[in-house]
Amino acid sequence: MPRILLFLALFHSLFLSLPAAARPADPPRRLVLIDDDVIGLNGVPALLLQVPDVEVLGITTTSGSVWRDTATAHALRTLELTGKPNVPVVPGAVYPLLNSREQVIRWEGMYGRLVFKGPWTDYWPGDTIQEHPGVTDPADVPDLSYGNPSIKASDEIAALFLIRMARRYPGQVTLFATGPMTNIALALSLDPEFARNIKELVYMGGSLNPRQHLSNPSADQFAREFVNSPRREFNIRWDPEAARIMAHAPWRRITMIPVDPSTGTQWTRGFLDSLGSAPNPLTGALARSIAVGFPMWDELAAMVWLEPGIVTKRDTLYVDFETSMTAGYGDTLSWTEAYRPKLGEQAQDVVLEVDRERMEAAMRALYTRPIAGGGKR
Amino acid sequence: MPRILLFLALFHSLFLSLPAAARPADPPRRLVLIDDDVIGLNGVPALLLQVPDVEVLGITTTSGSVWRDTATAHALRTLELTGKPNVPVVPGAVYPLLNSREQVIRWEGMYGRLVFKGPWTDYWPGDTIQEHPGVTDPADVPDLSYGNPSIKASDEIAALFLIRMARRYPGQVTLFATGPMTNIALALSLDPEFARNIKELVYMGGSLNPRQHLSNPSADQFAREFVNSPRREFNIRWDPEAARIMAHAPWRRITMIPVDPSTGTQWTRGFLDSLGSAPNPLTGALARSIAVGFPMWDELAAMVWLEPGIVTKRDTLYVDFETSMTAGYGDTLSWTEAYRPKLGEQAQDVVLEVDRERMEAAMRALYTRPIAGGGKR
């Protein structure tokens, strides 16, 4: 053992003295914290965990598309299937900072029905091809279609875990957020240095001017979410105050992936079939957990981070979110430099369009990659 | 004379007994009231006054793009040039119901700069190819590039004139509104029967999901008005409370022409040249008053009414406007039936796209039509 350590130290100092391009086999690790309302194996973790040079420091969970405890179960099961049971899963916020079911009902009376309300979605108004979900209780965790986890979550609080990791690796961690911003807002409020300790924030949320790009019944259904409310997006609308706290923090760099690029993506049977019979338990679990027809929301965000070349259109905008309890509650606000109010909103790198084929090819490569240790089935 | 009357009566009863299609020469008059922040000869009146079967009962003016008195001068001059000096021009609201320059300045401090503020537009933020307009006084009426009017406006109040005409011709009048809704809101508040007395409301205002369709510097400039605020449009933003009163009134029929179809239209030198040397004073005045590069806003609305066949995409939506003094002040709200709040908002026939070539051809035919009496030069 000492001999090996000595060798490693020698190897390390040797290659550190070379120019970066000359180092043959020492790729820098990309540290990432995932904060997500994980809704299944199609989630971000399954992709990021499959990238050799990416080290997932942990997954913090939040309510959003599903309640936090359900998101936590999905995250744990994903870690088992990808052979990474030691990555910590840290449960976070159950409720938004201010928003509540009662407030949503009152708001709908004034401003019309929301399309998707996460676990508060009692039914879909109008004709729909979807099943009506029905309101669920935060503690109810359904059996997962691809098996329940046997590993357990951490008993740390998500915001504190985020702060601890950011302090341990200052300036080195990508914070990858694809759910509501509640945990992140709490971390920002608890630790004024949190944003500056993070290397970059990459988040999926908000909506600018989305347009329906695909013509099929599923695309029609999801277009309901933006055609009459182009500035409204669920992650932000679940907790607008948290999003505003996020948008005013002094991040070193922010990448926003709004709804806009997602409308050109979609889970299809063809894509799932194209994964073939890869020798890992991921593809089977995907087939059992994916709802064909859904946009590839969080996966798109993951691929933007992993393969920036898939982005075909981007813009720099100042972004904020509306927190007045009016028609625009939770709406995305954006400005170019000359128009912004200068109230602390930050410049964000906004992804507007992606190359779907290139994205799917990169996803396919990751999903079908052999899993270290084979993963647990 | 009596013989002629007898003949006419005979002629009339004869043809009334025939099926409608067989009547050779008795087109029904289409009565119209124009309410407009008239900004030049390119305005609506010049088109509507040129249609043989359309009878313009009067033009009511309002502040909006320019102050009311300037709009009034444009309307009067247009009547002279089209040989219709007896059509009444009735001045209306100078200020919005609640909105004010001070309030706009305060709002901009909170929510960022507006692009166009009508006569309150002090300067254009950021780089621009346009001249900075500078704030003007309501009483300042500039010399018109195509000559000042010699006829005078009515001393009636616009809202009262609108009510009087609607009562005189109940169910027969199209109310054609292409400016802020202040006069119309006042008429609705004064006379609870006003909306029901009107045959149909056709208005240009509001914004849904506009997209830049043309690639040139002018189109880039105008895209600033919607790219970061897709639900904001000037006519409504000038007087949001008036727009909300309009949107809740029990009209028999409402046609909305939002910004969306206008982004595919543009005044071009080519179109003006195509008018040639028509033997009427309109085309010369157009050449002197048109700002090439501007969208054909109000003209588009006029042509939608005159030539419904130019509409290539439309939708039925429930529409309202935000009046809370927040980021969304004056924003367009829209819903399909299943999502609307049912607070009195009405179903509107919303024009989304038009056939530009067909529209321009119809405009050309009207602008180059010989003018009765030759018009005053």
Side-chain angles (χ1 to χ4, degrees):
Chain A
M1 285 291 209
R3 242 188 352 199
I4 288 178
L5 281 178
L6 183 68
F7 169 77
L8 282 175
L10 204 68
F11 179 91
H12 198 63
S13 61
L14 181 71
F15 281 100
L16 277 181
S17 65
L18 291 177
R23 278 178 235 154
D26 188 22
R29 290 183 311 165
R30 306 168 71 188
L31 305 183
V32 64
L33 283 162
I34 301 173
D35 185 68
D36 196 8
D37 55 340
V38 192
I39 53 165
L41 227 174
N42 49 327
V44 167
L47 286 168
L48 297 189
L49 290 163
Q50 284 287 85
V51 186
D53 72 337
V54 167
E55 180 173 342
V56 178
L57 296 174
I59 302 172
T60 51
T61 59
T62 176
S63 293
S65 297
V66 294
W67 288 117
R68 179 204 65 175
D69 288 351
T70 302
T72 303
H74 281 294
L76 291 167
R77 180 63 181 147
T78 301
L79 289 172
E80 284 181 344
L81 288 168
T82 49
K84 303 275 174 60
N86 296 324
V87 171
V89 174
V90 190
V94 175
Y95 295 106
L97 297 180
L98 278 179
N99 198 18
S100 67
R101 182 163 178 238
E102 294 72 20
Q103 186 173 291
V104 165
I105 292 169
R106 207 68 55 91
W107 186 95
E108 288 184 309
M110 283 297 290
Y111 302 113
R113 293 194 66 89
L114 294 171
V115 180
F116 180 60
K117 295 176 278 190
W120 293 328
T121 310
D122 38 6
Y123 70 95
W124 304 108
D127 296 329
T128 175
I129 57 173
Q130 293 166 287
E131 286 177 38
H132 294 290
V135 176
T136 55
D137 187 85
D140 289 344
V141 178
D143 283 330
L144 308 189
S145 61
Y146 54 105
N148 294 323
S150 56
I151 55 174
K152 300 294 175 199
S154 161
D155 58 3
E156 196 171 359
I157 289 173
L160 302 179
F161 174 79
L162 292 173
I163 291 170
R164 192 161 62 84
M165 289 297 115
R167 288 180 174 187
R168 181 181 296 174
Y169 304 103
Q172 298 168 62
V173 180
T174 295
L175 176 54
F176 193 89
T178 48
M181 295 292 162
T182 321
N183 293 335
I184 293 169
L186 289 167
L188 289 165
S189 297
L190 286 165
D191 181 1
E193 294 303 314
F194 179 67
R196 274 186 284 266
N197 278 339
I198 291 291
K199 179 183 173 191
E200 61 172 343
L201 170 68
V202 179
Y203 75 101
M204 167 142 257
S207 181
L208 295 170
N209 306 299
R211 182 143 304 210
Q212 184 178 341
H213 287 290
L214 306 174
S215 290
N216 55 58
S218 288
D220 293 346
Q221 294 283 301
F222 286 102
R224 293 176 311 176
E225 291 200 37
F226 54 80
V227 68
N228 284 299
S229 50
R231 291 287 168 147
R232 187 186 303 149
E233 183 275 330
F234 170 75
N235 280 347
I236 308 298
R237 182 60 179 73
W238 174 264
D239 194 342
E241 287 76 12
R244 192 170 178 98
I245 290 171
M246 173 275 283
H248 284 245
W251 308 100
R252 297 170 184 222
R253 176 180 161 80
I254 312 173
T255 302
M256 175 196 204
I257 297 111
V259 167
D260 303 53
S262 77
T263 64
T265 70
Q266 193 170 52
W267 285 99
T268 61
R269 185 56 53 199
F271 176 76
L272 289 171
D273 287 348
S274 78
L275 302 181
S277 50
N280 79 43
L282 263 179
T283 53
L286 279 170
R288 286 196 296 282
S289 70
I290 290 293
V292 165
F294 272 60
M296 291 171 161
W297 286 305
D298 297 357
E299 303 74 26
L300 163 64
M303 298 318 297
V304 163
W305 183 59
L306 294 172
E307 300 274 343
I310 68 169
V311 178
T312 52
K313 190 176 174 193
R314 59 203 321 153
D315 200 359
T316 299
L317 292 171
Y318 291 83
V319 175
D320 206 348
F321 301 98
E322 173 65 303
T323 51
S324 77
M325 254 295 290
T326 57
Y329 185 57
D331 275 8
T332 305
L333 309 176
S334 65
W335 308 268
T336 54
E337 170 70 38
Y339 288 84
R340 72 192 187 97
K342 299 186 181 171
L343 291 172
E345 70 281 354
Q346 304 292 316
Q348 303 195 6
D349 179 21
V350 183
V351 173
L352 296 171
E353 290 175 8
V354 295
D355 180 332
R356 179 181 176 182
E357 285 186 25
R358 190 166 164 189
M359 181 184 81
E360 289 189 353
M363 285 174 71
R364 190 178 297 114
L366 288 174
Y367 281 133
T368 56
R369 201 168 175 279
I371 285 171
K376 179 169 181 165
R377 276 161 204 267
Chain B
M1 285 295 203
R3 245 198 335 207
I4 289 177
L5 281 179
L6 183 68
F7 170 77
L8 282 175
L10 206 65
F11 180 90
H12 199 62
S13 61
L14 181 70
F15 281 100
L16 276 179
S17 65
L18 292 177
R23 276 177 237 155
D26 189 22
R29 291 183 310 164
R30 306 168 71 187
L31 306 183
V32 64
L33 283 162
I34 301 173
D35 185 68
D36 197 8
D37 54 340
V38 193
I39 54 166
L41 226 173
N42 49 328
V44 167
L47 286 169
L48 297 189
L49 289 163
Q50 285 287 86
V51 184
D53 72 337
V54 167
E55 180 172 343
V56 178
L57 296 175
I59 302 171
T60 51
T61 59
T62 177
S63 293
S65 297
V66 294
W67 288 117
R68 179 203 67 176
D69 289 351
T70 302
T72 303
H74 281 293
L76 291 167
R77 181 63 181 148
T78 300
L79 289 172
E80 284 182 344
L81 288 168
T82 49
K84 303 276 175 58
N86 295 324
V87 171
V89 174
V90 190
V94 175
Y95 295 106
L97 296 180
L98 277 179
N99 197 17
S100 68
R101 181 163 181 240
E102 293 72 19
Q103 187 173 293
V104 165
I105 292 168
R106 208 67 56 90
W107 186 95
E108 289 184 308
M110 282 298 289
Y111 301 112
R113 294 195 65 90
L114 293 171
V115 180
F116 180 59
K117 293 175 279 189
W120 293 329
T121 311
D122 38 7
Y123 70 95
W124 304 109
D127 295 331
T128 176
I129 57 173
Q130 295 165 287
E131 287 177 37
H132 294 290
V135 177
T136 55
D137 188 84
D140 289 345
V141 177
D143 283 330
L144 307 189
S145 61
Y146 54 107
N148 294 323
S150 55
I151 56 176
K152 299 294 176 201
S154 160
D155 58 5
E156 196 170 358
I157 289 172
L160 302 179
F161 174 79
L162 292 173
I163 291 170
R164 192 161 62 83
M165 289 297 115
R167 289 180 173 188
R168 181 180 295 174
Y169 305 102
Q172 299 168 60
V173 180
T174 295
L175 176 54
F176 193 90
T178 47
M181 296 291 163
T182 322
N183 294 336
I184 292 168
L186 289 167
L188 289 165
S189 298
L190 286 165
D191 181 0
E193 294 302 315
F194 179 66
R196 275 186 283 266
N197 279 338
I198 290 290
K199 179 184 175 192
E200 61 171 342
L201 170 69
V202 178
Y203 75 98
M204 167 141 253
S207 180
L208 295 171
N209 305 299
R211 183 144 303 208
Q212 184 177 339
H213 287 291
L214 307 174
S215 289
N216 56 57
S218 288
D220 292 346
Q221 295 282 302
F222 286 102
R224 292 175 312 176
E225 291 200 39
F226 55 80
V227 68
N228 284 300
S229 50
R231 291 285 166 148
R232 187 186 302 150
E233 183 275 331
F234 171 75
N235 281 348
I236 307 298
R237 183 57 178 76
W238 175 264
D239 194 341
E241 287 78 11
R244 192 170 178 98
I245 290 171
M246 174 275 283
H248 284 244
W251 307 100
R252 297 168 183 226
R253 178 181 158 80
I254 313 173
T255 302
M256 175 196 203
I257 297 110
V259 167
D260 304 52
S262 76
T263 64
T265 70
Q266 192 171 53
W267 285 98
T268 60
R269 184 57 53 201
F271 177 76
L272 289 170
D273 288 347
S274 80
L275 301 180
S277 50
N280 80 42
L282 264 179
T283 52
L286 279 170
R288 287 196 296 282
S289 70
I290 291 293
V292 166
F294 271 60
M296 290 171 162
W297 287 304
D298 297 357
E299 303 74 26
L300 162 64
M303 298 318 296
V304 164
W305 183 60
L306 294 172
E307 299 275 342
I310 68 169
V311 177
T312 52
K313 190 176 174 192
R314 59 200 323 151
D315 200 357
T316 300
L317 292 171
Y318 291 82
V319 175
D320 205 348
F321 301 98
E322 172 66 304
T323 51
S324 76
M325 255 295 289
T326 56
Y329 186 57
D331 274 9
T332 305
L333 309 176
S334 64
W335 308 268
T336 54
E337 170 69 39
Y339 289 84
R340 71 192 188 96
K342 299 188 181 169
L343 291 172
E345 70 282 354
Q346 304 293 316
Q348 305 196 5
D349 178 21
V350 183
V351 173
L352 296 171
E353 289 176 9
V354 295
D355 181 332
R356 179 181 175 181
E357 284 186 25
R358 191 167 163 187
M359 179 183 82
E360 289 189 354
M363 285 175 70
R364 191 178 298 114
L366 289 174
Y367 281 133
T368 56
R369 200 169 175 279
I371 285 171
K376 180 166 181 166
R377 274 154 206 276

